Amino acid sequence: MTNTSHLGQGASADIADKVLALAGALLILAVLVALLRGFEHWGQLSPVVWAHLATVVLALAMAPVQLLRRKGDLVHRVIGRIWALLLFGTALISFDIRELNHGNFSLIHGLSAFTIICVPTMVWAARRGDIRTHRGFARGLTAGALLTAGFFTLLPSRILGGWLFG
């Protein structure tokens, strides 16, 4: 039996979703400003980096929508499937980006490997009706794979951070 109701999550769940949604909205705004400010350098980015940026920006833009809207309906499931594919794709693509660590994998690639495990687990939990587990993985992926990793890209030593603050 599948519990698709958004009711009964409690006040703390609503607050957590709102905080994650706000952080996601602020991050997407910062990333878009950085991209606009770095317009003259766009040609320096490889197609792999552009693919990574495209998948992660789309997933990041969808996260606040998923967090703030009704859960369990058809729209939630469709957006969720797209979001899961984007997260999985961006994690896979990241393994081909190694410019920052002299051609080697870095700690952030560990997060990518973890994401590749967590995304199917999140989807599987939803499909079997384990909404508590599904919600935990969705929030964890938002906080870790999108927000934490995303805010690190805004460090002045990174491309987007350099464009944003440079």
Side-chain angles (χ1 to χ4, degrees), residues 57-141:
V57 165
L58 289 171
L60 183 59
M62 296 171 93
V65 173
Q66 282 294 80
L67 289 163
L68 296 177
R69 67 171 312 284
R70 178 179 171 80
K71 310 295 191 282
D73 63 5
L74 178 62
V75 174
H76 177 82
R77 291 191 304 271
V78 169
I79 293 172
R81 287 179 182 130
I82 295 167
W83 188 74
L85 286 170
L86 289 167
L87 281 179
F88 197 84
T90 202
L92 285 177
I93 292 166
S94 74
F95 289 109
D96 202 28
I97 302 171
R98 291 183 258 164
E99 290 91 359
L100 296 178
N101 201 26
H102 309 293
N104 299 309
F105 292 117
S106 64
L107 290 176
I108 199 74
H109 290 101
L111 181 58
S112 295
F114 190 65
T115 299
I116 288 171
I117 294 166
C118 288
V119 168
T121 304
M122 174 189 67
V123 172
W124 182 60
R127 292 197 50 85
R128 71 175 205 272
D130 185 354
I131 301 308
R132 177 181 228 159
T133 299
H134 168 74
R135 187 181 304 125
F137 273 94
R139 286 183 182 142
L141 285 163

Side-chain angles (χ1 to χ4, degrees), residues 31-47:
V31 168
L32 293 175
V33 169
L35 286 170
L36 290 173
R37 289 184 52 125
F39 176 77
E40 63 208 33
H41 303 287
W42 285 9
Q44 298 169 1
L45 298 183
S46 70

